[in-house]
PDB file of all heavy atoms in Angstrom:
ATOM      1  N   PHE A  24    -104.795 131.561 125.538  1.00  0.00           N
ATOM      2  CA  PHE A  24    -104.177 132.014 124.280  1.00  0.00           C
ATOM      3  C   PHE A  24    -104.928 131.370 123.120  1.00  0.00           C
ATOM      4  O   PHE A  24    -104.417 130.531 122.393  1.00  0.00           O
ATOM      5  CB  PHE A  24    -102.683 131.685 124.299  1.00  0.00           C
ATOM      6  CG  PHE A  24    -101.978 132.436 125.404  1.00  0.00           C
ATOM      7  CD1 PHE A  24    -101.990 131.967 126.713  1.00  0.00           C
ATOM      8  CD2 PHE A  24    -101.362 133.629 125.142  1.00  0.00           C
ATOM      9  CE1 PHE A  24    -101.381 132.690 127.740  1.00  0.00           C
ATOM     10  CE2 PHE A  24    -100.749 134.354 126.155  1.00  0.00           C
ATOM     11  CZ  PHE A  24    -100.760 133.883 127.459  1.00  0.00           C
ATOM     12  N   ASP A  25    -106.186 131.795 122.991  1.00  0.00           N
ATOM     13  CA  ASP A  25    -107.099 131.147 122.054  1.00  0.00           C
ATOM     14  C   ASP A  25    -107.454 132.060 120.878  1.00  0.00           C
ATOM     15  O   ASP A  25    -106.913 133.152 120.743  1.00  0.00           O
ATOM     16  CB  ASP A  25    -108.374 130.707 122.809  1.00  0.00           C
ATOM     17  CG  ASP A  25    -109.036 131.884 123.544  1.00  0.00           C
ATOM     18  OD1 ASP A  25    -108.575 133.045 123.368  1.00  0.00           O
ATOM     19  OD2 ASP A  25    -110.006 131.643 124.288  1.00  0.00           O
ATOM     20  N   ASP A  26    -108.400 131.598 120.060  1.00  0.00           N
ATOM     21  CA  ASP A  26    -108.817 132.353 118.871  1.00  0.00           C
ATOM     22  C   ASP A  26    -109.357 133.740 119.225  1.00  0.00           C
ATOM     23  O   ASP A  26    -109.181 134.691 118.466  1.00  0.00           O
ATOM     24  CB  ASP A  26    -109.911 131.587 118.113  1.00  0.00           C
ATOM     25  CG  ASP A  26    -109.324 130.418 117.333  1.00  0.00           C
ATOM     26  OD1 ASP A  26    -108.079 130.338 117.248  1.00  0.00           O
ATOM     27  OD2 ASP A  26    -110.109 129.595 116.825  1.00  0.00           O
ATOM     28  N   ARG A  27    -110.006 133.819 120.369  1.00  0.00           N
ATOM     29  CA  ARG A  27    -110.587 135.098 120.785  1.00  0.00           C
ATOM     30  C   ARG A  27    -109.479 136.127 121.008  1.00  0.00           C
ATOM     31  O   ARG A  27    -109.603 137.277 120.630  1.00  0.00           O
ATOM     32  CB  ARG A  27    -111.394 134.881 122.063  1.00  0.00           C
ATOM     33  CG  ARG A  27    -112.660 135.661 122.051  1.00  0.00           C
ATOM     34  CD  ARG A  27    -113.548 135.362 123.232  1.00  0.00           C
ATOM     35  NE  ARG A  27    -114.103 136.635 123.671  1.00  0.00           N
ATOM     36  CZ  ARG A  27    -114.211 137.007 124.920  1.00  0.00           C
ATOM     37  NH1 ARG A  27    -113.823 136.205 125.894  1.00  0.00           N
ATOM     38  NH2 ARG A  27    -114.720 138.176 125.218  1.00  0.00           N
ATOM     39  N   LEU A  28    -108.400 135.665 121.631  1.00  0.00           N
ATOM     40  CA  LEU A  28    -107.246 136.549 121.844  1.00  0.00           C
ATOM     41  C   LEU A  28    -106.626 136.946 120.505  1.00  0.00           C
ATOM     42  O   LEU A  28    -106.313 138.113 120.270  1.00  0.00           O
ATOM     43  CB  LEU A  28    -106.196 135.853 122.732  1.00  0.00           C
ATOM     44  CG  LEU A  28    -104.884 136.635 122.890  1.00  0.00           C
ATOM     45  CD1 LEU A  28    -105.083 137.889 123.742  1.00  0.00           C
ATOM     46  CD2 LEU A  28    -103.793 135.749 123.510  1.00  0.00           C
ATOM     47  N   HIS A  29    -106.491 135.961 119.626  1.00  0.00           N
ATOM     48  CA  HIS A  29    -105.861 136.231 118.328  1.00  0.00           C
ATOM     49  C   HIS A  29    -106.682 137.230 117.504  1.00  0.00           C
ATOM     50  O   HIS A  29    -106.132 138.096 116.835  1.00  0.00           O
ATOM     51  CB  HIS A  29    -105.646 134.918 117.559  1.00  0.00           C
ATOM     52  CG  HIS A  29    -104.682 134.000 118.251  1.00  0.00           C
ATOM     53  ND1 HIS A  29    -104.434 132.721 117.835  1.00  0.00           N
ATOM     54  CD2 HIS A  29    -103.903 134.185 119.352  1.00  0.00           C
ATOM     55  CE1 HIS A  29    -103.536 132.158 118.647  1.00  0.00           C
ATOM     56  NE2 HIS A  29    -103.218 133.024 119.573  1.00  0.00           N
ATOM     57  N   THR A  30    -108.000 137.129 117.595  1.00  0.00           N
ATOM     58  CA  THR A  30    -108.871 138.074 116.893  1.00  0.00           C
ATOM     59  C   THR A  30    -108.691 139.478 117.465  1.00  0.00           C
ATOM     60  O   THR A  30    -108.585 140.466 116.720  1.00  0.00           O
ATOM     61  CB  THR A  30    -110.360 137.649 117.012  1.00  0.00           C
ATOM     62  OG1 THR A  30    -110.479 136.337 116.477  1.00  0.00           O
ATOM     63  CG2 THR A  30    -111.282 138.595 116.268  1.00  0.00           C
ATOM     64  N   LEU A  31    -108.629 139.563 118.796  1.00  0.00           N
ATOM     65  CA  LEU A  31    -108.425 140.868 119.437  1.00  0.00           C
ATOM     66  C   LEU A  31    -107.099 141.478 118.955  1.00  0.00           C
ATOM     67  O   LEU A  31    -107.046 142.652 118.568  1.00  0.00           O
ATOM     68  CB  LEU A  31    -108.416 140.720 120.966  1.00  0.00           C
ATOM     69  CG  LEU A  31    -107.998 141.977 121.748  1.00  0.00           C
ATOM     70  CD1 LEU A  31    -108.998 143.125 121.561  1.00  0.00           C
ATOM     71  CD2 LEU A  31    -107.835 141.663 123.244  1.00  0.00           C
ATOM     72  N   ILE A  32    -106.031 140.673 118.968  1.00  0.00           N
ATOM     73  CA  ILE A  32    -104.713 141.177 118.556  1.00  0.00           C
ATOM     74  C   ILE A  32    -104.740 141.604 117.089  1.00  0.00           C
ATOM     75  O   ILE A  32    -104.228 142.669 116.736  1.00  0.00           O
ATOM     76  CB  ILE A  32    -103.606 140.125 118.812  1.00  0.00           C
ATOM     77  CG1 ILE A  32    -103.444 139.877 120.319  1.00  0.00           C
ATOM     78  CG2 ILE A  32    -102.279 140.593 118.215  1.00  0.00           C
ATOM     79  CD1 ILE A  32    -102.484 138.730 120.674  1.00  0.00           C
ATOM     80  N   ASP A  33    -105.338 140.795 116.228  1.00  0.00           N
ATOM     81  CA  ASP A  33    -105.412 141.140 114.799  1.00  0.00           C
ATOM     82  C   ASP A  33    -106.188 142.441 114.584  1.00  0.00           C
ATOM     83  O   ASP A  33    -105.788 143.296 113.789  1.00  0.00           O
ATOM     84  CB  ASP A  33    -106.057 140.002 113.995  1.00  0.00           C
ATOM     85  CG  ASP A  33    -105.141 138.781 113.905  1.00  0.00           C
ATOM     86  OD1 ASP A  33    -103.923 138.932 114.118  1.00  0.00           O
ATOM     87  OD2 ASP A  33    -105.652 137.669 113.640  1.00  0.00           O
ATOM     88  N   ASP A  34    -107.284 142.598 115.312  1.00  0.00           N
ATOM     89  CA  ASP A  34    -108.080 143.829 115.205  1.00  0.00           C
ATOM     90  C   ASP A  34    -107.278 145.025 115.709  1.00  0.00           C
ATOM     91  O   ASP A  34    -107.345 146.113 115.129  1.00  0.00           O
ATOM     92  CB  ASP A  34    -109.375 143.714 116.027  1.00  0.00           C
ATOM     93  CG  ASP A  34    -110.387 142.782 115.384  1.00  0.00           C
ATOM     94  OD1 ASP A  34    -110.120 142.276 114.279  1.00  0.00           O
ATOM     95  OD2 ASP A  34    -111.456 142.562 115.996  1.00  0.00           O
ATOM     96  N   MET A  35    -106.534 144.819 116.789  1.00  0.00           N
ATOM     97  CA  MET A  35    -105.717 145.917 117.338  1.00  0.00           C
ATOM     98  C   MET A  35    -104.620 146.326 116.358  1.00  0.00           C
ATOM     99  O   MET A  35    -104.321 147.500 116.205  1.00  0.00           O
ATOM    100  CB  MET A  35    -105.101 145.517 118.685  1.00  0.00           C
ATOM    101  CG  MET A  35    -106.119 145.515 119.829  1.00  0.00           C
ATOM    102  SD  MET A  35    -105.413 144.858 121.367  1.00  0.00           S
ATOM    103  CE  MET A  35    -104.149 146.088 121.724  1.00  0.00           C
ATOM    104  N   ARG A  36    -104.030 145.342 115.693  1.00  0.00           N
ATOM    105  CA  ARG A  36    -102.991 145.635 114.687  1.00  0.00           C
ATOM    106  C   ARG A  36    -103.577 146.519 113.585  1.00  0.00           C
ATOM    107  O   ARG A  36    -102.983 147.505 113.186  1.00  0.00           O
ATOM    108  CB  ARG A  36    -102.479 144.339 114.052  1.00  0.00           C
ATOM    109  CG  ARG A  36    -101.644 143.476 114.964  1.00  0.00           C
ATOM    110  CD  ARG A  36    -101.240 142.200 114.231  1.00  0.00           C
ATOM    111  NE  ARG A  36    -100.237 142.480 113.236  1.00  0.00           N
ATOM    112  CZ  ARG A  36     -98.952 142.129 113.332  1.00  0.00           C
ATOM    113  NH1 ARG A  36     -98.540 141.452 114.381  1.00  0.00           N
ATOM    114  NH2 ARG A  36     -98.096 142.433 112.388  1.00  0.00           N
ATOM    115  N   GLU A  37    -104.748 146.109 113.105  1.00  0.00           N
ATOM    116  CA  GLU A  37    -105.376 146.862 112.020  1.00  0.00           C
ATOM    117  C   GLU A  37    -105.770 148.273 112.484  1.00  0.00           C
ATOM    118  O   GLU A  37    -105.594 149.250 111.756  1.00  0.00           O
ATOM    119  CB  GLU A  37    -106.607 146.096 111.513  1.00  0.00           C
ATOM    120  CG  GLU A  37    -107.066 146.585 110.160  1.00  0.00           C
ATOM    121  CD  GLU A  37    -108.305 145.856 109.649  1.00  0.00           C
ATOM    122  OE1 GLU A  37    -108.635 144.775 110.177  1.00  0.00           O
ATOM    123  OE2 GLU A  37    -108.933 146.400 108.729  1.00  0.00           O
ATOM    124  N   THR A  38    -106.279 148.343 113.707  1.00  0.00           N
ATOM    125  CA  THR A  38    -106.711 149.637 114.255  1.00  0.00           C
ATOM    126  C   THR A  38    -105.517 150.571 114.434  1.00  0.00           C
ATOM    127  O   THR A  38    -105.589 151.761 114.110  1.00  0.00           O
ATOM    128  CB  THR A  38    -107.444 149.423 115.604  1.00  0.00           C
ATOM    129  OG1 THR A  38    -108.526 148.504 115.402  1.00  0.00           O
ATOM    130  CG2 THR A  38    -108.004 150.738 116.151  1.00  0.00           C
ATOM    131  N   LEU A  39    -104.391 150.019 114.923  1.00  0.00           N
ATOM    132  CA  LEU A  39    -103.188 150.848 115.108  1.00  0.00           C
ATOM    133  C   LEU A  39    -102.653 151.323 113.759  1.00  0.00           C
ATOM    134  O   LEU A  39    -102.331 152.498 113.585  1.00  0.00           O
ATOM    135  CB  LEU A  39    -102.104 150.072 115.873  1.00  0.00           C
ATOM    136  CG  LEU A  39    -100.788 150.837 116.076  1.00  0.00           C
ATOM    137  CD1 LEU A  39    -100.997 152.124 116.880  1.00  0.00           C
ATOM    138  CD2 LEU A  39     -99.737 149.967 116.772  1.00  0.00           C
ATOM    139  N   GLU A  40    -102.601 150.397 112.818  1.00  0.00           N
ATOM    140  CA  GLU A  40    -102.098 150.738 111.486  1.00  0.00           C
ATOM    141  C   GLU A  40    -102.906 151.881 110.873  1.00  0.00           C
ATOM    142  O   GLU A  40    -102.365 152.807 110.288  1.00  0.00           O
ATOM    143  CB  GLU A  40    -102.203 149.502 110.599  1.00  0.00           C
ATOM    144  CG  GLU A  40    -101.154 149.420 109.519  1.00  0.00           C
ATOM    145  CD  GLU A  40    -101.170 148.035 108.905  1.00  0.00           C
ATOM    146  OE1 GLU A  40    -100.439 147.165 109.410  1.00  0.00           O
ATOM    147  OE2 GLU A  40    -101.931 147.836 107.948  1.00  0.00           O
ATOM    148  N   ASN A  41    -104.208 151.789 111.062  1.00  0.00           N
ATOM    149  CA  ASN A  41    -105.132 152.778 110.506  1.00  0.00           C
ATOM    150  C   ASN A  41    -105.051 154.136 111.213  1.00  0.00           C
ATOM    151  O   ASN A  41    -105.406 155.164 110.643  1.00  0.00           O
ATOM    152  CB  ASN A  41    -106.553 152.191 110.625  1.00  0.00           C
ATOM    153  CG  ASN A  41    -107.583 153.050 109.954  1.00  0.00           C
ATOM    154  OD1 ASN A  41    -108.289 153.808 110.604  1.00  0.00           O
ATOM    155  ND2 ASN A  41    -107.658 152.960 108.636  1.00  0.00           N
ATOM    156  N   SER A  42    -104.573 154.122 112.470  1.00  0.00           N
ATOM    157  CA  SER A  42    -104.598 155.337 113.303  1.00  0.00           C
ATOM    158  C   SER A  42    -103.412 156.254 113.069  1.00  0.00           C
ATOM    159  O   SER A  42    -103.470 157.441 113.390  1.00  0.00           O
ATOM    160  CB  SER A  42    -104.598 154.932 114.774  1.00  0.00           C
ATOM    161  OG  SER A  42    -103.298 154.449 115.127  1.00  0.00           O
ATOM    162  N   GLY A  43    -102.305 155.678 112.569  1.00  0.00           N
ATOM    163  CA  GLY A  43    -101.098 156.480 112.430  1.00  0.00           C
ATOM    164  C   GLY A  43    -100.315 156.627 113.731  1.00  0.00           C
ATOM    165  O   GLY A  43     -99.329 157.338 113.787  1.00  0.00           O
ATOM    166  N   GLY A  44    -100.741 155.939 114.786  1.00  0.00           N
ATOM    167  CA  GLY A  44    -100.042 155.996 116.072  1.00  0.00           C
ATOM    168  C   GLY A  44     -98.919 154.982 116.148  1.00  0.00           C
ATOM    169  O   GLY A  44     -98.676 154.225 115.198  1.00  0.00           O
TER     170      GLY A  44
END
Side-chain angles (χ1 to χ4, degrees):
F24 297 82
D25 55 6
D26 284 350
R27 220 174 139 223
L28 174 70
H29 296 173
T30 302
L31 171 65
I32 294 173
D33 290 340
D34 287 357
M35 285 174 64
R36 289 178 73 108
E37 197 181 344
T38 305
L39 178 61
E40 210 168 270
N41 186 260
S42 73

